[in-house]
Amino acid sequence: MKPAITSWADEVEADYVDGLPPSKEYVEGDYKHVTEYKFNEEGKKIKVVRSFKIEKKVVSRAVAKRRNWVKFGDSKQDKPGPNSYTTKVADEILMNYIGSKDFEQTQDPLLEAGKPMAKCRICNGEHWSVKCPYKGTSLDMESKAIAVATTSVSEPAKPGRYVPPYLKESGKGRERDDSSAVRISNLSESMTEDDLEELVKKIGPHTKMYLAREKNSGLCKGFAYVHFKYRKDAAEAIEILNGHGYDHLILSVEWSKPQN
């Protein structure tokens, strides 16, 4: 006659605290087996058996000292090592993996499903212009001509937008007035804007000065332009400064030639 097989839950004595026996553990070779008892969500007694592999590692002294710390609170009677009931070794992190297409759609809301990403400029089809079957035909030439015509039409100037001087006054170019400008040449390399100012300020008021300099060294190239406010002052400057000795050199002053 076979012995009757009974459940371990029926063998648990009821005189334990909360009706559950204490946890047991034993070592077998390189493994440690821990047996615990608890109630599940339905209120039934269950037995949990966990196995741990024992490994020896060399740790720092600070880590080794922590093993000798006296436990307190609910873990006061626990054995060395963490207790799953009172100690949480790590936080539970839930990750939701999505595909690359789903990621692109969540990052760019403009990418709608079924919406074409390209539009041909030749036939307005849903493909790139380089792959258009009408490329190089009369339809392609006509679309290019229309594009050139639309870009050539001048748009009205918007407020606050910079417009070059040659585009102002209904597109008519504005010529620079050089009638009162003189060119001073044969200047020394050490000539500066302050020296040029000192040279011409006693003759009459001027509106602009330009001293030509070398791009790399920054030294004077030997000539400069002065725009006087009045033409009579420019004529007087030519009469006074032309042939005048300045900085061991003889200056040459003449009317500035208009640029073509």
Side-chain angles (χ1 to χ4, degrees):
M1 181 178 180
K2 296 182 179 180
I5 300 175
T6 59
S7 174
W8 62 267
D10 298 332
E11 298 175 358
V12 174
E13 299 179 2
D15 56 352
Y16 294 111
V17 180
D18 297 332
L20 296 176
S23 60
K24 300 178 182 179
E25 62 179 44
Y26 65 95
V27 179
E28 183 180 359
D30 294 336
Y31 290 89
K32 182 176 71 172
H33 306 279
V34 179
T35 304
E36 297 177 345
Y37 304 89
K38 62 180 181 178
F39 292 100
N40 61 4
E41 297 177 355
E42 299 177 357
K44 297 181 180 180
K45 299 176 183 179
I46 59 174
K47 180 172 66 174
V48 180
V49 180
R50 293 182 297 172
S51 300
F52 302 91
K53 185 177 182 181
I54 301 175
E55 294 182 356
K56 293 183 179 181
K57 293 183 179 180
V58 179
V59 296
S60 61
R61 293 183 179 179
V63 176
K65 288 181 179 180
R66 285 202 296 266
R67 295 181 59 87
N68 298 327
W69 287 357
V70 179
K71 295 187 179 183
F72 58 92
D74 296 338
S75 299
K76 187 176 182 179
Q77 304 297 331
D78 293 345
K79 296 180 180 180
N83 188 351
S84 60
Y85 291 101
T86 58
T87 306
K88 198 171 185 181
V89 179
D91 296 333
E92 185 177 1
I93 301 176
L94 300 178
M95 300 184 66
N96 185 17
Y97 296 94
I98 59 176
S100 59
K101 294 184 179 179
D102 298 336
F103 178 76
E104 292 177 358
Q105 291 181 359
T106 55
Q107 294 297 318
D108 192 354
L110 299 179
L111 295 178
E112 299 178 359
K115 185 177 180 180
M117 296 181 59
K119 185 176 181 181
C120 179
R121 60 174 176 78
I122 301 174
C123 64
N124 294 328
E126 296 179 358
H127 54 262
W128 298 105
S129 301
V130 294
K131 297 182 179 181
C132 181
Y134 300 99
K135 184 178 181 181
T137 61
S138 59
L139 184 61
D140 187 11
M141 302 301 177
E142 184 179 354
S143 63
K144 291 181 179 180
I146 295 174
V148 172
T150 53
T151 54
S152 62
V153 176
S154 60
E155 298 180 355
K158 299 180 180 179
R161 182 181 178 184
Y162 172 76
V163 180
Y166 66 90
L167 293 180
K168 294 181 179 180
E169 300 178 0
S170 302
K172 296 181 180 179
R174 186 180 64 180
E175 297 181 358
R176 187 175 62 183
D177 185 13
D178 293 335
S179 60
S180 60
V182 297
R183 184 180 191 271
I184 305 175
S185 56
N186 204 24
L187 297 172
S188 64
E189 293 182 348
S190 60
M191 191 71 175
T192 62
E193 284 80 0
D194 294 337
D195 297 336
L196 185 61
E197 174 79 19
E198 188 69 23
L199 183 64
V200 301
K201 72 176 183 179
K202 295 181 180 180
I203 299 175
H206 57 275
T207 58
K208 185 171 61 174
M209 290 191 315
Y210 171 72
L211 181 65
R213 291 182 176 274
E214 292 287 349
K215 184 176 180 181
N216 297 327
S217 62
L219 300 176
C220 178
K221 286 185 177 181
F223 65 93
Y225 291 92
V226 180
H227 292 252
F228 287 92
K229 189 174 182 180
Y230 305 105
R231 184 175 174 82
K232 62 182 184 62
D233 294 336
E236 186 178 354
I238 294 175
E239 183 179 354
I240 296 174
L241 298 178
N242 188 30
H244 174 70
Y246 185 83
D247 199 10
H248 306 290
L249 295 173
I250 304 299
L251 301 180
S252 175
V253 184
E254 59 182 352
W255 291 104
S256 176
K257 298 179 182 179
Q259 295 182 353
N260 297 329

